[in-house]
Amino acid sequence: MRPVRPLYAAMVLGVLTLAGCGRSSDTSSPTPRTTPVTVRAGNGSVTVPAPPKRIVVLSPTATEMLFAIGAGPQVVAVDDQSTYPANAPLTKLSGFKPNSEAVIGYRPDLVVLSNDTDGIVAALRKVKIPVLLEPSAVKIDDTYDQITDLGTATGHVSEAGKLTTDMRQQIDATVRNIRTAMPTTNGLTYYHELTNDLFTVTSKTFIGQVYGLFGLRDVADAADKAGTGYPKLSQESLVTSDPSLIFLADTACCGQSAQTVAKRPGWKDLSAVKRGRIVPLNDDIASRWGPRLVDFVKAIAAAIQKPA
């Protein structure tokens, strides 16, 4: 989920603005059907003639979704950023710079991607390969819709339904428990770090909406003069805003931690630093909108509950 930032930040800004639970067994088989199905994806209505047997995936999130609904055995190749689950058939295929000839070389009967970079959708449709464009989620319900799309396309409708139901229940329960135990969370502010040069998200983004479930307030909102949803803060504005919680989504890519943050100029006096409320996140979990969204929600809940 990795090229070093700021390239990664550019990717997040680009795709999110179009940015362990209920994991099904990989041994299930697609539900037999005799008629085609039509899926309404980001590239319009796509007809899938039969449950695909050779799926190529150029989206780490879609890879996670497919394996979670039991369609893993149908996947023959995933892009070089699809690092989860571990048994996904990792290749050198790129979702950032897709090569249509390389994809066609895997003889897919379905391709799933999140970006139509360099006209890849048209190139694959030209050779009559069904393509599902499932862009980065802009709201939480987009996650459930995309899982449903993939379940329909691959013959795993019931598994997709079970997964989305389980995700909703776990997320609702987690949020409800926090709201009940800590009704004053509306007073808490946060900063979510995408890059160590202070690119972040606002409450209008998918990531910001997840924090919003708990009533947390984003310190970056006021700084987003251009309305992109992904402003770059200044050191001064971040220190002045003094967020209650700091979430680091750049731990794996950029080696950030509570220790490195505390050494930044002016940061040692931040409330979050002094109270030990620096929260390291798994970069991938914090930036993908698939089944592990539940893990992201639970990480936020744990941070809120941690004694200051």
Side-chain angles (χ1 to χ4, degrees):
M1 225 308 241
R2 152 88 114 244
V4 175
R5 274 62 162 207
L7 177 58
Y8 173 62
M11 181 276 292
V12 172
L13 270 60
V15 298
L16 287 181
T17 52
L18 282 183
C21 73
R23 297 182 184 110
S24 304
S25 167
D26 291 338
T27 59
S28 58
S29 299
T31 303
R33 66 170 187 258
T34 57
T35 58
V37 296
T38 299
V39 177
R40 182 72 181 176
N43 54 321
S45 296
V46 178
T47 298
V48 183
K53 297 179 180 179
R54 298 186 61 81
I55 305 173
V56 171
V57 193
L58 301 182
S59 161
T61 298
T63 296
E64 294 194 18
M65 290 178 174
L66 287 164
F67 275 78
I69 62 174
Q74 296 159 255
V75 177
V76 296
V78 301
D79 69 287
D80 57 2
Q81 299 298 306
S82 287
T83 54
Y84 186 90
N87 60 328
L90 195 67
T91 71
K92 294 182 179 180
L93 292 174
S94 172
F96 299 118
K97 295 183 178 180
N99 182 314
S100 59
E101 292 184 0
V103 172
I104 293 169
Y106 284 93
R107 298 180 289 108
D109 48 12
L110 178 67
V111 174
V112 184
L113 35 72
S114 60
N115 296 289
D116 186 15
T117 307
D118 296 333
I120 183 68
V121 171
L124 296 174
R125 291 172 93 175
K126 188 175 182 179
V127 292
K128 303 190 183 305
I129 297 174
V131 181
L132 292 181
L133 176 63
E134 299 289 355
S136 296
V138 295
K139 57 184 184 297
I140 293 174
D141 279 348
D142 290 344
T143 292
Y144 306 128
D145 290 343
Q146 291 186 16
I147 291 171
T148 300
D149 285 351
L150 295 179
T152 300
T154 61
H156 293 277
V157 174
S158 62
E159 295 95 328
K162 182 180 183 303
L163 176 59
T164 56
T165 297
D166 184 53
M167 289 178 66
R168 289 179 190 273
Q169 290 176 345
Q170 290 200 53
I171 291 173
D172 289 347
T174 300
V175 173
R176 184 170 58 252
N177 289 341
I178 291 294
R179 290 287 201 169
T180 300
M182 304 181 66
T184 59
T185 56
N186 285 330
L188 295 176
T189 58
Y190 74 93
Y191 161 66
H192 177 99
E193 182 166 287
L194 290 175
T195 70
N196 57 4
D197 55 354
L198 306 189
F199 270 102
T200 184
V201 300
T202 70
S203 60
K204 294 181 180 180
T205 63
F206 174 83
I207 293 172
Q209 289 176 31
V210 178
Y211 286 106
L213 293 173
F214 296 96
L216 303 184
R217 293 186 293 110
D218 194 328
V219 299
D221 284 354
D224 189 21
K225 305 301 183 183
T228 64
Y230 300 90
K232 179 179 179 179
L233 302 185
S234 66
Q235 288 277 359
E236 180 181 4
S237 66
L238 192 284
V239 171
T240 300
S241 68
D242 193 20
S244 309
L245 294 156
I246 294 176
F247 294 87
L248 302 176
D250 53 357
T251 58
C253 78
C254 309
Q256 297 306 295
S257 65
Q259 291 71 34
T260 62
V261 164
K263 293 178 182 178
R264 295 176 183 177
W267 285 50
K268 65 181 178 63
D269 294 323
L270 288 176
S271 299
V273 173
K274 291 191 292 185
R275 296 176 181 175
R277 306 196 82 173
I278 308 296
V279 186
L281 299 170
N282 178 300
D283 296 20
D284 292 340
I285 291 176
S287 56
R288 297 177 186 174
W289 57 98
R292 291 192 291 171
L293 171 61
V294 173
D295 296 341
F296 184 27
V297 171
K298 290 183 176 180
I300 297 171
I304 294 172
Q305 287 181 304
K306 182 180 178 180

